[in-house]
Amino acid sequence: MSKILSPRQTDQAAHIIRNGGLVVFPTETVYGLGGNALLDSTATKIYEAKGRPSDNPLIVHISSLDQIHQTAASCDEISLALAESFWPGPLTIILPRHDRIPARVTGGLDSIALRLPDDPLALELISKSGVPIAAPSANRSGRPSPTSFWMAQQEMEGRVDAIIQGEDTRIGLESTIVWVSERGLQILRPGSIGPLQIRKALDHRGYREVPILLAGNTEDAPTSPGSKYPHYSPKAAVETYTKIAELKDIEDNAAILTIHAYRSLPKEAKEARIIVYGNLDDYARQLYRDLVSLDEDGISHIYLYLPDPATQKKDPIALALADRIKRASGLSPKT
Ligand code: TXA
Ligand code: MG
């Protein structure tokens, strides 16, 4: 049995983490499965609870910029500029790993993924625990990241010491992951902080010449080790569409996830279960939750709205959504 803690019980949660236990907690992106990042044994427990291959590194969460130098061996000036511009926030920065952090936490890599989240509860938990917190998303491997307490509980009940009963997460998609190399800044995983915002921050700090590359744009771009593992795809068959005209030959027992007004949908589509999101932010916030519910309801076909390339260029959440939607539908995210 996992203990259920209220958001006011961060003292207790911090105590569990400091002493090598595991606690599920909310962040602004998705719920995390956290443990003391200084302990080798925590990493083993986290991999076990998730059923995750141990070469897939964990993100380490900190609560102040000072902690960069307790977790990273060094921090180049561009990464520091990014940290100062976007932390606390949904940005994860890859840096060289400090010896203090066991290699098991980083899946054996010499690099470490660092994030300073901007959820007050998460920040309080990290600072009270007094240690950096290693926390992947709190889902079992191959399942969607939990974006609500009940999803987190469904994933982790009985596998962790405690679960904090927090709010639904504000963003609903995992953080943007970036890595700075000699070639420029590479976005390894798109999230709600997008290339345009990063460009603006770099320009503002005097790094106009630093190129921003989307992983997959170039042959030698490294990818996150995690991206070689299968991601969540629902039991239902998934198809994507961008223009309403593509919504035809709708299967029986189907659901359509859309941002288009109900009345603009073709008549035959209206036989399906229809979820209309007010905007792309709502779509992102609810996507994982809705995919899980539709699976539980035995829906056999899901049509997912895929934002068009022009919107993906302008709106970071559209780019991140397109990445997750392509994975859910079994398409390569590079297409
Ligand atoms: O929003 C988030 O980032 C959430 C919340 C809990 O903070 N965490 C999260 O963690 O999404 P996780 O473990 O589910 O995804 C981390 C990704 C994995 O794909 C992993 O391969 C990659 O980050 N990663 C971790 N360390 C890395 C490293 N040193 N180099 C490259 N990629 C790394
Ligand atoms: Mg994950």
Side-chain angles (χ1 to χ4, degrees), residues 139-328:
N139 51 285
R140 281 171 277 135
S141 204
R143 304 257 315 145
S145 300
T147 53
S148 66
F149 165 70
W150 72 261
M151 280 175 88
Q153 192 179 26
Q154 207 173 25
E155 292 298 306
M156 287 297 152
E157 170 59 47
R159 295 168 173 258
V160 294
D161 300 288
I163 305 174
I164 300 183
Q165 184 161 14
E167 309 267 319
D168 291 357
T169 62
R170 179 166 58 80
I171 297 172
L173 299 178
E174 305 83 350
S175 62
T176 306
I177 304 181
V178 296
W179 178 59
V180 176
S181 72
E182 303 91 66
R183 305 184 58 251
L185 179 142
Q186 316 221 11
I187 298 183
L188 304 185
R189 178 174 74 183
S192 62
I193 293 177
L196 293 180
Q197 270 169 293
I198 295 175
R199 178 77 275 156
K200 227 169 140 182
L202 290 181
D203 288 356
H204 183 69
R205 299 262 181 165
Y207 299 109
R208 277 175 202 284
E209 344 59 61
V210 175
I212 295 178
L213 310 155
L214 280 179
N217 280 357
T218 50
E219 282 297 299
D220 60 339
T223 46
S224 260
S227 53
K228 71 172 186 266
Y229 293 107
H231 275 251
Y232 180 63
S233 39
K235 292 186 205 103
V238 177
E239 280 181 48
T240 64
Y241 81 96
T242 295
K243 295 207 175 85
I244 289 181
E246 294 166 49
L247 273 181
K248 47 183 186 232
D249 307 324
I250 305 293
E251 303 278 341
D252 290 341
N253 191 28
I256 300 174
L257 274 53
T258 187
I259 59 156
H260 297 109
Y262 180 80
R263 65 185 144 67
S264 68
L265 298 175
K267 210 153 123 217
E268 80 155 309
K270 294 181 180 172
E271 300 290 313
R273 167 118 47 117
I274 295 171
I275 304 179
V276 179
Y277 303 103
N279 53 50
L280 291 177
D281 290 343
D282 285 347
Y283 188 12
R285 197 174 299 126
Q286 277 153 237
L287 175 67
Y288 291 149
R289 271 203 292 284
D290 287 338
L291 288 179
V292 170
S293 312
L294 292 172
D295 257 355
E296 283 175 356
D297 293 352
I299 292 288
S300 50
H301 239 89
I302 304 177
Y303 298 85
L304 289 176
Y305 169 71
L306 179 70
D308 59 74
T311 310
Q312 290 180 43
K313 272 216 170 88
K314 282 198 304 252
D315 179 356
I317 220 62
L319 183 68
L321 262 170
D323 173 78
R324 307 313 190 272
I325 288 168
K326 285 174 185 172
R327 292 176 194 279

Side-chain angles (χ1 to χ4, degrees), residues 27 29-33 50 52 56-59 61 92 94 106 109 111-113 115 135-137 139 173-175 177 188-189 223-227:
T27 80
T29 56
V30 300
Y31 273 69
L33 162 59
K50 269 185 81 79
R52 176 181 211 161
N56 191 357
L58 310 174
I59 294 181
H61 296 67
T92 296
I94 309 291
T106 62
L109 297 177
S111 56
I112 185 168
R115 171 158 127 76
S137 50
N139 51 285
L173 299 178
E174 305 83 350
S175 62
I177 304 181
L188 304 185
R189 178 174 74 183
T223 46
S224 260
S227 53

